[in-house]
Amino acid sequence: MKRWMKRQAAGCLAVLVMASAAFPAMADEWDRSEDGKHWMYFDYSGEPLMDEWIEVDGKTYYLDSKGYMKTGWVSNQGEGTRHYMGEDGAMLTNTFTPDNRYVGPDGAILEAYDNYRKKVKSEIKKASKTKKKSSGTKKGAGAGSQGAASPEETKRYFLLTDLNQDGYRDIVVTERTAWEEAQTIQTAAAAAAGRGVALEQLGMSLGISQAEALGQFITDGSLIQIAVWDPEEGKFQLAAEFDETGEGERSTLYQDPGGQGIWLEIREDEENLRLFQLEMETSRFENVWSFSTELDDWGGALYCLNGSEEDKAFWDMTMAEARQAVGNLPLRGYQEATDENVAAQVDLLLTEDELGMWQ
């Protein structure tokens, strides 16, 4: 370690340009050990460097107490960090290690980002296994029109997007029936035909995968869960959970046209719906409007707004105002909740701006 201190002092200019002073940059040439099994680095006097971090041609290496270049995980005792050295001995930076850890620009593990990725996968898997009850037959969803809902194959889909505008992607999990799947494919096929390509070529024509292309046509379904990432707690906070579906009920998330967050619409039909707004940088949905209709004792229509009866003119005017506030920009980009799709969406290399969020 005395040699390390001297080299650090002599090479202070080189140290200043590095990400961490823990890795000084001094050495002269590589050569094999006497048994030919290890790489070593020798200084200008022919002495091997030992128990040192060195930088060569912009790459960082570690030489152990015998002077052998190390590969795999190495601990930096002085900094209390661990670093992964590739097969060529060079420290990995800004990438995933072979065992799926993420290392930042200084080669240290970004524990916060690894934790986030782990929690995303866990939350989606848990939500995908949640059993959802139906309180009646879903209209137009392929079930019978009378009696209890017939069992129908469903698929779970997920969306990763920043719902509350705090910079972190949150989770939406929804359920769709086979009938809805068929409708989506028909819509996508029509869009593909409009672009002069076959459905199988739609993703290619848009510069995305086929699964991502189909996901652009999914805007609603039967929501299972909405969870918002809490960076301070390092976990997802449940914003909404739906364990029961009403007859014919649909749920859709909209992007606020004024940039004020996200709207959640839960709709039975055009005259019976509830509208909630997610408060920015929180996980709380506020129930803003509730529209419903019912029949009075004489069969006449009653119009209720937030639980209070109103005349139809005022009810219609408020409904129009609510529709304008919510806008017509439903969130898109849902993907089927398979392990492969989840990994493809969450195991992403970080941009320079994103790195700052997790360091």
Side-chain angles (χ1 to χ4, degrees), residues 111-128:
E111 298 285 357
Y113 187 47
D114 277 354
N115 177 56
Y116 169 80
R117 294 187 301 116
K118 180 180 178 180
K119 294 292 178 64
V120 167
K121 295 171 184 178
S122 175
E123 284 292 325
I124 293 176
K125 180 172 290 189
K126 180 174 64 176
S128 297

Side-chain angles (χ1 to χ4, degrees), residues 63-74:
L63 306 168
D64 67 13
S65 58
K66 296 181 179 180
Y68 298 159
M69 181 191 77
K70 300 296 290 183
T71 60
W73 285 107
V74 175

